[in-house]
Amino acid sequence: MENAIRHKPKFDDIYMDLAVNLAQRSHCIKAQVGAVLVNETRIISIGYNGPPAGTHNCDEDFGNVGCPRDSKGSCSLALHAEQNTILYAAKNGAKVEGATLYVTLSPCISCARVIYTMKIKKVFFLNSYAEYKGIPTDEGVEFLRKFGVEVVKYEKE
């Protein structure tokens, strides 16, 4: 038998692939976002965007129109994937400080504040929130970078 060198996927690829797959679990009709929180190569929490558990499933309860909108035109019920992931970790006593977050959409400014407050050290994102929302800049990314959180646009090698 030959000693063939097998390709082992990089952890960054594994975690982002998982975030992409988790996004498919979202009940949001507008956007599907997934997130994975990792500490020292160990997954400590996973999540996706949607209403709090036990409330509504927008695609089932509101059909093609989705949930009611708030005053800014955003989903009135949804937690963002980052929020769900961080809240679940904290609720279950996981050490969030120093962790790395993988998310399919760059953090909005509100999520960026939570990420910074929880002392997450690094964020990998796949797609731009600014492009998705049609706004000029990724405010969340700028905020995090300004205050010392490393933010990386994920590119699969």
Side-chain angles (χ1 to χ4, degrees):
M1 180 182 261
E2 271 184 53
N3 285 339
I5 298 173
R6 36 176 224 158
H7 168 73
K8 292 184 181 181
K10 294 182 177 188
F11 279 115
D12 291 340
D13 297 337
I14 291 169
Y15 303 139
M16 190 57 80
D17 287 347
L18 178 55
V20 168
N21 284 317
L22 285 164
Q24 296 175 52
R25 296 278 315 156
S26 173
H27 287 277
C28 183
I29 64 149
K30 194 171 177 186
Q32 294 76 44
V33 182
V36 177
L37 191 61
V38 175
N39 208 338
E40 298 180 16
T41 72
R42 300 291 182 216
I43 296 170
I44 59 173
S45 187
I46 61 174
Y48 48 88
N49 63 316
T55 60
H56 293 279
N57 287 329
C58 295
D59 56 347
E60 296 168 1
D61 296 347
F62 302 108
N64 291 339
V65 296
C67 67
R69 301 288 172 217
D70 65 17
S71 61
K72 294 180 181 176
S74 296
C75 301
S76 64
L77 300 174
L79 291 168
H80 288 188
E82 303 94 321
Q83 294 168 337
N84 265 331
T85 304
I86 293 165
L87 287 168
Y88 186 82
K91 177 178 157 185
N92 289 290
K95 182 181 178 274
V96 175
E97 184 175 342
T100 299
L101 181 68
Y102 295 80
V103 64
T104 59
L105 195 62
S106 62
C108 69
I109 189 67
S110 180
C111 287
R113 290 189 290 258
V114 172
I115 290 165
Y116 176 77
T117 300
M118 295 302 290
K119 298 186 177 5
I120 291 170
K121 70 174 182 180
K122 190 172 189 176
V123 176
F124 283 93
F125 71 91
L126 185 59
N127 299 306
S128 165
Y129 182 80
E131 288 176 18
Y132 165 70
K133 290 297 263 186
I135 57 178
T137 61
D138 273 306
E139 301 167 310
V141 171
E142 290 176 0
F143 174 89
L144 290 169
R145 287 179 176 156
K146 179 179 180 179
F147 292 104
V149 177
E150 185 178 356
V151 183
V152 178
K153 169 97 169 82
Y154 172 80
E155 301 286 342
K156 194 167 192 168
E157 292 180 16

